Amino acid sequence: MGQEEPQNKLEGSPHFQLIFWAIAIVFISLLGACFIASCLVTHYYFLHCKRSTGGFQLTEHHKELTCIRGKSERKEKDWSCCPKDWKSFSLNCYFISTKDENWNESEKNCSGMQAHLLVINTKAEQEFITGNLEQNRAYFVGLSDPEGTRHWQWVDQTPYNRSATLWHQGEPSHPDERCASLNARQQRWGLNDIPCDLPLRSICEMMKIYL
């Protein structure tokens, strides 16, 4: 009992209490600094990702991204991403719908996913897309002739070039068929004009997301 008395006196001394409170204050300060640093990192990450993706927002349609690191077409970015279950090719992502809708409904569906109906720019792009399609199906693309005057236009305002657009032979064939679909004839894929209110599957396209 005689040996414990000095220790008890020390613990009750003002000097010991001062040390205890100093340690407590330092510990609380460190916790506060960690919390602030965490908030700053989270804030920076949010702003950085939003800026990097051009303001792209994950929505109920895009809850997850599939990303590939390296070999990005944009050298300043480390990752190129597409929404989960979308196809990746060159600078774009593609979604192949399994639901039959008319042309306007199809474009609205694409728009709701921050995309638009497919715009075909190259033969390589068309070959990639058709390699993922069912040959017994037809798919709406983003090409239409709203007035029926043979003035075809792409949904993203890409200039229409008749000689570069891969129509089936003899197509487009009828002024009342004002929307274009992609289908296969004798295992060869090409474009065909078709009534816009006919329910078909469709292909959506959007630019890749870079992080």
Side-chain angles (χ1 to χ4, degrees):
M1 294 298 291
Q3 293 179 351
E4 293 179 0
E5 185 176 351
Q7 182 177 356
N8 292 336
K9 289 182 178 180
L10 179 62
E11 291 177 353
S13 70
H15 179 69
F16 180 85
Q17 292 179 2
L18 182 63
I19 294 175
F20 173 81
W21 283 111
I23 294 173
I25 290 171
V26 170
F27 182 74
I28 293 171
S29 298
L30 288 173
L31 285 179
C34 290
F35 176 78
I36 293 172
S38 176
C39 290
L40 289 174
V41 169
T42 302
H43 182 64
Y44 169 80
Y45 181 79
F46 173 77
L47 292 179
H48 176 69
C49 288
K50 185 174 182 180
R51 180 170 63 251
S52 300
T53 60
F56 180 84
Q57 298 282 333
L58 291 180
T59 68
E60 61 179 281
H61 298 289
H62 306 311
K63 295 181 179 179
E64 297 181 52
L65 297 178
T66 300
C67 299
I68 300 174
R69 186 172 187 178
K71 297 183 179 180
S72 170
E73 292 81 358
R74 297 186 181 180
K75 294 182 180 180
E76 71 276 14
K77 306 297 183 183
D78 293 328
W79 297 87
S80 62
C81 308
C82 286
K84 187 179 179 181
D85 299 327
W86 287 54
K87 308 293 184 182
S88 170
F89 177 76
S90 186
L91 301 176
N92 299 314
C93 309
Y94 304 89
F95 177 76
I96 302 169
S97 172
T98 57
K99 184 178 180 180
D100 292 336
E101 297 178 307
N102 65 39
W103 192 92
N104 286 328
E105 290 170 339
S106 297
E107 173 58 15
K108 184 177 180 181
N109 180 55
C110 292
S111 179
M113 295 190 289
Q114 305 175 54
H116 55 71
L117 281 171
L118 173 67
V119 174
I120 301 172
N121 292 295
T122 65
K123 184 177 180 180
E125 182 181 27
Q126 177 166 314
E127 289 177 348
F128 169 79
I129 292 298
T130 56
N132 289 279
L133 303 180
E134 298 180 32
Q135 287 205 354
N136 62 338
R137 297 278 186 177
Y139 301 81
F140 276 126
V141 299
L143 184 64
S144 66
D145 171 27
E147 306 299 326
T149 56
R150 304 289 86 176
H151 290 160
W152 291 88
Q153 52 191 267
W154 292 105
V155 292
D156 70 344
Q157 308 305 311
T158 295
Y160 172 72
N161 185 340
R162 175 68 177 86
S163 62
T165 305
L166 306 175
W167 292 96
H168 282 300
Q169 185 175 2
E171 303 294 347
S173 59
H174 200 288
D176 290 334
E177 297 176 343
R178 302 181 183 182
C179 290
S181 67
L182 190 59
N183 69 342
R185 293 180 181 176
Q186 297 179 346
Q187 298 185 338
R188 178 184 177 276
W189 287 89
L191 294 177
N192 174 41
D193 57 343
I194 199 168
C196 296
D197 58 357
L198 191 69
L200 296 178
R201 295 186 177 185
S202 60
I203 307 161
C204 299
E205 175 184 2
M206 67 183 298
M207 291 186 66
K208 281 184 177 177
I209 304 148
Y210 293 93
L211 303 175

